[in-house]
Every structure is written in structure tokens, then in C-alpha cells.
Amino acid sequence: MNWICPHCREPLVKVERSYHCETGHCFDQAKEGYVNLLPANRKRSRDPGDNREMVEARKRVHAADVYRTLAEAVAAYFKELSHASVLDLGCGEGYYGGVVLEHAPKISMWGIDIAKPAVRLAAKAHPRGRFAVASAYEVPLGDSSMDAIFSVFAPVGESEPARLLSHEGFFLNICPAARHLWQLREHLYADPKPHKEVAAALPGLALEKQEKIGFSVALEPPLLADLVAMTPYAYGGQRESKATLEQLGVFEVQMEFLLQCYRREQATA
């Protein structure tokens, strides 16, 4: 099993450091080991996805294991898998995929993200994984090719999980719960609103299980600034409130997440 061509959807065959399809399209592998399968005519900007500053901020937050409790909860869904193909859909710099590999070392890890700086870091961190710059709305992998898929805070093409999953496969979606980062949002916004706790309707899939996990973390000012920089709050909130973050000292904030596990809908007689 390998990547498929984003232009003609034919299988890509790796020859030395390049991927080729039968119709003649060619994609070179970067020195870090990933391949760019996002055609230029499908980009909405010159450098889509998270920029380098956001990626580096996220890398520092993850290096401090601020989200380790969440990562362990995600990995628990995969620990029984062996010799299975798992896709990290919106892999970022590969933090969650790395924790999954710690718990399930025999799986085959695949990862895509639209942000090239993030994919470059993921490929460097996990050389035995396979990573590509690609869209989550047109994943360059074949039908029924994945035994499991997970996505942490990433946009997902509604029809892609069902297309990609094998018959017995599952899709794990992780999204913010109602009061995720509530104290931070109270500081940045005059009238913060809770996140809506809604399970997405995904064609061909049914929600099998949903669980909520939460924990608190105490952040020093530099790490708190990185947390803001890696989230949508980097572009929102009151400017005056952001300016006072570094004066808060150690800041305790609540983390709260929904883990939603989907499986294929069972055909009715």
C-alpha cells in the first residue's frame, strides 16, 4: 500500500527518492522523508495551514507534555493494534502519533497535514512513519486502506474517514469540550462562549462511543504565550488582555476534550 497521485488518483510507486504514477506525474521525496502531494492549484494560499511560528510554539508546548494526558488517552485506543495501518489526519509535528507509536510500536503510521513546516518536523521525529503534505479533504490514500484513523483538533473532509477505513476500522475524532481553556478565554474575551459539544454527522459512520476527559495545568508565562500562539486565540481576543498575559505569573487553566469514536454503520436487513 502506498500513496496515490493527487492528480489522477492512480497508485504512486517509489523509485529511489521519487514517487511516480502510470500517467507520468512525479513527486520528489524531501530529505526529511516526506513527500508533498498538495498540488499548487489546490492551495488557498502560498503557504497553507499553520505558519512556522505556530508550529514552533506547538512543538514547545508538546515538548513540555502539556497535552500528555490527552495523548495517553488517544493512544489507549490503539494499544491492541498490531501490524495495522493507522492514519494521523492533520498530524501537525507528529506529537500524538509519536505517543500512539509508543503504545503500539508494531503499527504502520501514516500522517498528513496541509502545513509543510509541521510535516517536515513529523517526518524527522518519526523516520519509520510515512508522511505527506496533503489535504484532509482529498487524502492521497486508497479506498479502505486504513485500519484506524485519528484526528486531533483538525478539520476533516466529511466523507473521507468512511472512504479510507477498512470494514472493521474506526475513526477517533478529538475536539474541545465545552470549557476547554476556559480561564484563558475568560481573560481574552469579554463574553466567552462554551464550545458546542456536538458529534459530527459523518456519512457512512456511526458514533459508537464518546468520552470526556479533563485536567488542569499550571503554565509559566513563556509556555502560556506559546499556548496562545498555537491556537486560534493568536488571532482573536482583546489586544489589551493579551498584553497582560506575561504579567500573570503561573496561570492555571482547565483542559477539556471530547473523544468521539466512530465505526461503519451496520447495514439493516
Side-chain angles (χ1 to χ4, degrees), residues 28-229:
D28 292 332
Q29 184 181 56
K31 64 180 180 179
E32 294 86 355
Y34 70 92
V35 60
N36 192 334
L37 298 178
L38 183 64
N41 62 359
R42 298 182 197 172
K43 295 181 180 180
R44 294 186 178 182
S45 64
R46 180 177 178 181
D47 296 304
D50 294 341
N51 60 38
R52 189 179 303 275
E53 290 74 19
M54 293 181 74
V55 170
E56 291 294 336
R58 184 175 292 112
K59 182 181 177 182
R60 290 189 292 269
V61 169
H62 286 156
D65 276 336
V66 172
Y67 286 81
R68 183 73 190 196
T69 300
L70 172 62
E72 294 282 347
V74 171
Y77 281 78
F78 302 90
K79 64 182 180 181
E80 302 299 327
L81 296 185
S82 180
H83 304 292
S85 295
V86 176
L87 173 63
D88 186 351
L89 194 55
C91 64
E93 85 289 359
Y95 174 71
Y96 296 97
V99 179
V100 169
L101 282 170
E102 291 175 17
H103 289 259
K106 293 184 179 181
I107 66 171
S108 175
M109 177 62 71
W110 299 71
I112 69 155
D113 200 290
I114 202 170
K116 187 193 296 186
V119 175
R120 182 183 293 119
L121 290 175
K124 289 177 67 175
H126 309 297
R128 78 176 179 87
R130 302 184 187 186
F131 295 92
V133 180
S135 169
Y137 294 89
E138 294 181 280
V139 180
L141 287 167
D143 295 355
S144 306
S145 58
M146 291 288 118
D147 298 300
I149 304 170
F150 68 98
S151 177
V152 183
F153 306 145
V156 175
E158 288 185 354
S159 61
E160 286 295 77
R163 180 185 72 80
L164 292 164
L165 281 175
S166 63
H167 181 70
E168 299 296 330
F170 67 90
F171 170 52
L172 182 64
N173 184 54
I174 296 90
C175 58
R179 295 181 67 82
H180 180 53
L181 300 181
W182 184 252
Q183 294 82 358
L184 179 59
R185 289 155 61 199
E186 282 186 313
H187 184 81
L188 295 178
Y189 296 90
D191 185 24
K193 301 290 192 300
H195 291 290
K196 294 181 179 179
E197 297 186 352
V198 178
L202 301 177
L205 299 180
L207 183 66
E208 177 186 67
K209 175 184 177 182
Q210 176 172 281
E211 63 175 315
K212 181 186 293 188
I213 66 169
F215 54 93
S216 294
V217 294
L219 303 174
E220 298 282 352
L223 209 52
L224 180 60
D226 280 335
L227 182 65
V228 172

Side-chain angles (χ1 to χ4, degrees), residues 2-13 19-28 35-43 112 132-142 160 163:
N2 215 328
W3 302 110
I4 64 174
C5 178
H7 297 293
C8 62
R9 309 297 288 181
E10 292 295 323
L12 290 171
V13 177
Y19 290 85
H20 304 260
C21 70
E22 287 188 352
T23 56
H25 301 116
C26 177
F27 306 87
D28 292 332
V35 60
N36 192 334
L37 298 178
L38 183 64
N41 62 359
R42 298 182 197 172
K43 295 181 180 180
I112 69 155
V133 180
S135 169
Y137 294 89
E138 294 181 280
V139 180
L141 287 167
E160 286 295 77
R163 180 185 72 80

